[in-house]
Structure formats: C-alpha cells, structure tokens
Amino acid sequence: FEYSGYDANIGFFSAVPQRGDIVFFDEYIHASIRDGIKLGNAKSYKFKHNDINDLKQKYDAERSRKAGGSPNEMEIYIVTESVFSMDGDSPDLKAFTEFCSENNCRLVVDEAHAVGVFGEKGEGLVQYLGLQNRIFARIVTFGKAVGCHGAAILGSKQLKGYLVNFSR
C-alpha cells in the first residue's frame, strides 16, 4: 500500500473505532487524526496536552457514566504522538502504556516526528523505549526524516487484515 500520513490517519480512525467505542486524544494531536475521528462513529474526547492525570479523570468520568453497561461493550482508544511537531515534546509513553495495560485500553501512537530520529536505526521513540509489543497501533510516515513518500500502520496481523478489508 502507498499512503500518505494523512491517508493512514483518515483510514485508521474512520474504520477501527466503532459506534459505542470511545477515543481519548491529546489536544495537540495532528489535524489528520482529528479528521479521521470525525469520519468515524466513535465518541471522542480530548485531554490536556501530555497530561495523563487529565486523561485519567476523563476516563474515570466516562467509565462512571457508562457504569450500567458491560465493560466489554466498548473499546477505548488512547491516542497520542511520540513527538509533537510544534514543541518537539513527548508524553510519558511508559506511563501511557501502563495506564492502557491496566485499563484494557488500546494505545495508538503517531510516530511521524520520531521515525528516523530516535532509535539505533531510526525506528522511532516507541521502539527505542522497548514498548513496540505493548502498543495497539503505530502510525509512521516516511516524508519527514526518511525523505520519501508514504506511511504505514504497524500493528497485529488482525489489525492489518481488518485495515485491508475496511479502511478507505
């Protein structure tokens, strides 16, 4: 497949989170991710930039609101970037990963500004921190540090199969 980062974000976020699911996203997230979320059927809420405590409060409030329903009725996606483009800052990815593991959430990390910069071979910050096997999906682009066109969504075989069949 040949995607741009925009195509990858639109395709992923419009197809994967479903009606009844919830997406919590960093307030400084890429506009293309916001566009993809808007095209999908999941509810979405932003949390303060790189603020896991604000995320936890919003998560707890939403879980309390949904307390009558079964926890298995919905998937919860947490979306952040490994390196934010405007300030060059990063969230505490280890803390976000722990939170997602403890609460059965799916962590999605956009690595557009980390690939080619972090890691021994430029694999990105997630790989550099050794978290790659604990992340639901990573979105990487090749137009920045790699200097060519394209993007990829990294995840499980099941996720890849789903995207091939349902992502635009």
Side-chain angles (χ1 to χ4, degrees):
F1 297 103
E2 188 162 323
Y3 296 113
S4 67
Y6 184 84
D7 292 332
N9 284 330
I10 291 289
F12 180 91
F13 289 100
S14 67
V16 176
Q18 300 292 304
R19 186 175 318 281
D21 293 346
I22 298 171
V23 179
F24 292 102
F25 62 93
D26 188 289
E27 68 182 339
Y28 289 178
I29 205 80
H30 277 292
S32 59
I33 292 175
R34 287 178 186 245
D35 291 349
I37 291 169
K38 285 179 188 175
L39 289 172
N41 293 311
K43 287 190 175 188
S44 63
Y45 305 96
K46 67 181 175 184
F47 59 89
K48 291 179 185 172
H49 180 57
N50 286 340
D51 189 337
I52 195 161
N53 290 321
D54 188 52
L55 168 63
K56 288 176 182 179
Q57 288 175 348
K58 290 187 166 130
Y59 171 85
D60 289 342
E62 186 61 24
R63 294 302 280 183
S64 295
R65 198 176 74 70
K66 296 246 182 201
S70 166
N72 295 330
E73 289 180 17
M74 69 177 156
E75 296 288 348
I76 297 176
Y77 298 85
I78 310 297
V79 186
T80 191
E81 298 182 26
S82 56
V83 177
F84 284 86
S85 62
M86 298 306 285
D87 297 332
D89 59 347
S90 297
D92 183 344
L93 287 175
K94 289 182 180 181
F96 275 81
T97 301
E98 281 304 313
F99 174 80
C100 288
S101 293
E102 291 168 3
N103 293 285
N104 198 30
C105 299
R106 296 178 178 217
L107 182 58
V108 181
V109 180
D110 185 307
E111 289 241 271
H113 300 102
V115 167
V117 178
F118 287 93
E120 190 175 309
K121 297 179 184 174
E123 303 97 335
L125 188 56
V126 168
Q127 189 99 7
Y128 177 75
L129 295 172
L131 301 172
Q132 65 274 13
N133 295 324
R134 300 180 65 198
I135 307 292
F136 177 71
R138 289 183 287 158
I139 301 162
V140 300
T141 60
F142 309 132
K144 294 173 177 52
V146 179
C148 60
H149 180 75
I153 299 170
L154 309 177
S156 69
K157 286 183 182 181
Q158 293 160 323
L159 175 61
K160 292 174 194 174
Y162 184 86
L163 288 169
V164 165
N165 288 290
F166 296 102
S167 174
R168 295 183 171 213

PDB file of all heavy atoms in Angstrom, residues 101-116:
ATOM      1  N   SER A 101      -2.526  -0.677  29.689  1.00  0.00           N
ATOM      2  CA  SER A 101      -2.470  -2.091  30.095  1.00  0.00           C
ATOM      3  C   SER A 101      -3.375  -2.353  31.291  1.00  0.00           C
ATOM      4  O   SER A 101      -4.115  -3.332  31.310  1.00  0.00           O
ATOM      5  CB  SER A 101      -1.038  -2.495  30.440  1.00  0.00           C
ATOM      6  OG  SER A 101      -0.224  -2.470  29.298  1.00  0.00           O
ATOM      7  N   GLU A 102      -3.324  -1.481  32.268  1.00  0.00           N
ATOM      8  CA  GLU A 102      -4.119  -1.653  33.489  1.00  0.00           C
ATOM      9  C   GLU A 102      -5.617  -1.514  33.236  1.00  0.00           C
ATOM     10  O   GLU A 102      -6.424  -2.077  33.960  1.00  0.00           O
ATOM     11  CB  GLU A 102      -3.689  -0.624  34.543  1.00  0.00           C
ATOM     12  CG  GLU A 102      -2.307  -0.874  35.096  1.00  0.00           C
ATOM     13  CD  GLU A 102      -1.766   0.298  35.905  1.00  0.00           C
ATOM     14  OE1 GLU A 102      -2.497   1.313  36.094  1.00  0.00           O
ATOM     15  OE2 GLU A 102      -0.604   0.217  36.331  1.00  0.00           O
ATOM     16  N   ASN A 103      -5.995  -0.737  32.213  1.00  0.00           N
ATOM     17  CA  ASN A 103      -7.399  -0.432  31.980  1.00  0.00           C
ATOM     18  C   ASN A 103      -7.947  -1.027  30.682  1.00  0.00           C
ATOM     19  O   ASN A 103      -9.048  -0.669  30.260  1.00  0.00           O
ATOM     20  CB  ASN A 103      -7.606   1.088  31.996  1.00  0.00           C
ATOM     21  CG  ASN A 103      -7.355   1.654  33.366  1.00  0.00           C
ATOM     22  OD1 ASN A 103      -8.174   1.505  34.264  1.00  0.00           O
ATOM     23  ND2 ASN A 103      -6.199   2.277  33.550  1.00  0.00           N
ATOM     24  N   ASN A 104      -7.177  -1.918  30.079  1.00  0.00           N
ATOM     25  CA  ASN A 104      -7.606  -2.598  28.860  1.00  0.00           C
ATOM     26  C   ASN A 104      -7.985  -1.618  27.744  1.00  0.00           C
ATOM     27  O   ASN A 104      -9.003  -1.773  27.088  1.00  0.00           O
ATOM     28  CB  ASN A 104      -8.764  -3.567  29.156  1.00  0.00           C
ATOM     29  CG  ASN A 104      -8.927  -4.582  28.059  1.00  0.00           C
ATOM     30  OD1 ASN A 104      -7.971  -4.963  27.392  1.00  0.00           O
ATOM     31  ND2 ASN A 104     -10.156  -5.028  27.844  1.00  0.00           N
ATOM     32  N   CYS A 105      -7.169  -0.589  27.588  1.00  0.00           N
ATOM     33  CA  CYS A 105      -7.362   0.401  26.522  1.00  0.00           C
ATOM     34  C   CYS A 105      -6.381   0.109  25.393  1.00  0.00           C
ATOM     35  O   CYS A 105      -5.348  -0.532  25.606  1.00  0.00           O
ATOM     36  CB  CYS A 105      -7.100   1.812  27.042  1.00  0.00           C
ATOM     37  SG  CYS A 105      -8.185   2.334  28.369  1.00  0.00           S
ATOM     38  N   ARG A 106      -6.694   0.601  24.230  1.00  0.00           N
ATOM     39  CA  ARG A 106      -5.838   0.414  23.057  1.00  0.00           C
ATOM     40  C   ARG A 106      -5.075   1.705  22.792  1.00  0.00           C
ATOM     41  O   ARG A 106      -5.679   2.723  22.471  1.00  0.00           O
ATOM     42  CB  ARG A 106      -6.681   0.023  21.852  1.00  0.00           C
ATOM     43  CG  ARG A 106      -7.348  -1.313  22.073  1.00  0.00           C
ATOM     44  CD  ARG A 106      -8.213  -1.684  20.912  1.00  0.00           C
ATOM     45  NE  ARG A 106      -8.786  -2.995  21.166  1.00  0.00           N
ATOM     46  CZ  ARG A 106      -8.975  -3.906  20.234  1.00  0.00           C
ATOM     47  NH1 ARG A 106      -8.651  -3.650  18.986  1.00  0.00           N
ATOM     48  NH2 ARG A 106      -9.494  -5.066  20.527  1.00  0.00           N
ATOM     49  N   LEU A 107      -3.764   1.627  22.940  1.00  0.00           N
ATOM     50  CA  LEU A 107      -2.925   2.803  22.745  1.00  0.00           C
ATOM     51  C   LEU A 107      -2.514   2.912  21.281  1.00  0.00           C
ATOM     52  O   LEU A 107      -2.023   1.950  20.686  1.00  0.00           O
ATOM     53  CB  LEU A 107      -1.685   2.729  23.643  1.00  0.00           C
ATOM     54  CG  LEU A 107      -0.726   3.915  23.599  1.00  0.00           C
ATOM     55  CD1 LEU A 107      -1.426   5.223  23.964  1.00  0.00           C
ATOM     56  CD2 LEU A 107       0.452   3.659  24.543  1.00  0.00           C
ATOM     57  N   VAL A 108      -2.738   4.092  20.705  1.00  0.00           N
ATOM     58  CA  VAL A 108      -2.355   4.386  19.331  1.00  0.00           C
ATOM     59  C   VAL A 108      -1.377   5.549  19.384  1.00  0.00           C
ATOM     60  O   VAL A 108      -1.676   6.595  19.967  1.00  0.00           O
ATOM     61  CB  VAL A 108      -3.577   4.755  18.465  1.00  0.00           C
ATOM     62  CG1 VAL A 108      -3.155   5.038  17.033  1.00  0.00           C
ATOM     63  CG2 VAL A 108      -4.630   3.645  18.528  1.00  0.00           C
ATOM     64  N   VAL A 109      -0.199   5.365  18.770  1.00  0.00           N
ATOM     65  CA  VAL A 109       0.845   6.378  18.818  1.00  0.00           C
ATOM     66  C   VAL A 109       1.234   6.779  17.399  1.00  0.00           C
ATOM     67  O   VAL A 109       1.606   5.936  16.584  1.00  0.00           O
ATOM     68  CB  VAL A 109       2.094   5.869  19.576  1.00  0.00           C
ATOM     69  CG1 VAL A 109       3.170   6.945  19.610  1.00  0.00           C
ATOM     70  CG2 VAL A 109       1.726   5.432  20.988  1.00  0.00           C
ATOM     71  N   ASP A 110       1.137   8.059  17.133  1.00  0.00           N
ATOM     72  CA  ASP A 110       1.599   8.601  15.856  1.00  0.00           C
ATOM     73  C   ASP A 110       3.085   8.903  16.007  1.00  0.00           C
ATOM     74  O   ASP A 110       3.477   9.671  16.877  1.00  0.00           O
ATOM     75  CB  ASP A 110       0.808   9.864  15.524  1.00  0.00           C
ATOM     76  CG  ASP A 110       1.154  10.419  14.152  1.00  0.00           C
ATOM     77  OD1 ASP A 110       2.353  10.632  13.891  1.00  0.00           O
ATOM     78  OD2 ASP A 110       0.237  10.641  13.355  1.00  0.00           O
ATOM     79  N   GLU A 111       3.881   8.281  15.155  1.00  0.00           N
ATOM     80  CA  GLU A 111       5.336   8.436  15.244  1.00  0.00           C
ATOM     81  C   GLU A 111       5.911   9.249  14.083  1.00  0.00           C
ATOM     82  O   GLU A 111       7.085   9.125  13.753  1.00  0.00           O
ATOM     83  CB  GLU A 111       5.987   7.052  15.269  1.00  0.00           C
ATOM     84  CG  GLU A 111       5.753   6.301  16.550  1.00  0.00           C
ATOM     85  CD  GLU A 111       7.034   5.991  17.262  1.00  0.00           C
ATOM     86  OE1 GLU A 111       7.610   4.934  16.981  1.00  0.00           O
ATOM     87  OE2 GLU A 111       7.447   6.821  18.097  1.00  0.00           O
ATOM     88  N   ALA A 112       5.089  10.102  13.470  1.00  0.00           N
ATOM     89  CA  ALA A 112       5.519  10.861  12.302  1.00  0.00           C
ATOM     90  C   ALA A 112       6.802  11.659  12.546  1.00  0.00           C
ATOM     91  O   ALA A 112       7.627  11.791  11.642  1.00  0.00           O
ATOM     92  CB  ALA A 112       4.410  11.800  11.845  1.00  0.00           C
ATOM     93  N   HIS A 113       6.974  12.169  13.761  1.00  0.00           N
ATOM     94  CA  HIS A 113       8.132  13.023  14.034  1.00  0.00           C
ATOM     95  C   HIS A 113       9.231  12.315  14.823  1.00  0.00           C
ATOM     96  O   HIS A 113      10.193  12.943  15.241  1.00  0.00           O
ATOM     97  CB  HIS A 113       7.678  14.284  14.760  1.00  0.00           C
ATOM     98  CG  HIS A 113       6.698  15.063  13.966  1.00  0.00           C
ATOM     99  ND1 HIS A 113       5.348  15.031  14.236  1.00  0.00           N
ATOM    100  CD2 HIS A 113       6.841  15.837  12.859  1.00  0.00           C
ATOM    101  CE1 HIS A 113       4.717  15.774  13.346  1.00  0.00           C
ATOM    102  NE2 HIS A 113       5.594  16.267  12.503  1.00  0.00           N
ATOM    103  N   ALA A 114       9.088  11.012  15.007  1.00  0.00           N
ATOM    104  CA  ALA A 114      10.099  10.252  15.747  1.00  0.00           C
ATOM    105  C   ALA A 114      10.845   9.258  14.862  1.00  0.00           C
ATOM    106  O   ALA A 114      12.002   8.943  15.124  1.00  0.00           O
ATOM    107  CB  ALA A 114       9.451   9.501  16.910  1.00  0.00           C
ATOM    108  N   VAL A 115      10.188   8.768  13.798  1.00  0.00           N
ATOM    109  CA  VAL A 115      10.843   7.825  12.890  1.00  0.00           C
ATOM    110  C   VAL A 115      11.980   8.548  12.172  1.00  0.00           C
ATOM    111  O   VAL A 115      11.824   9.670  11.705  1.00  0.00           O
ATOM    112  CB  VAL A 115       9.835   7.233  11.884  1.00  0.00           C
ATOM    113  CG1 VAL A 115      10.527   6.518  10.748  1.00  0.00           C
ATOM    114  CG2 VAL A 115       8.887   6.293  12.605  1.00  0.00           C
ATOM    115  N   GLY A 116      13.119   7.904  12.142  1.00  0.00           N
ATOM    116  CA  GLY A 116      14.305   8.499  11.530  1.00  0.00           C
ATOM    117  C   GLY A 116      15.116   9.328  12.499  1.00  0.00           C
ATOM    118  O   GLY A 116      16.223   9.751  12.185  1.00  0.00           O
TER     119      GLY A 116
END
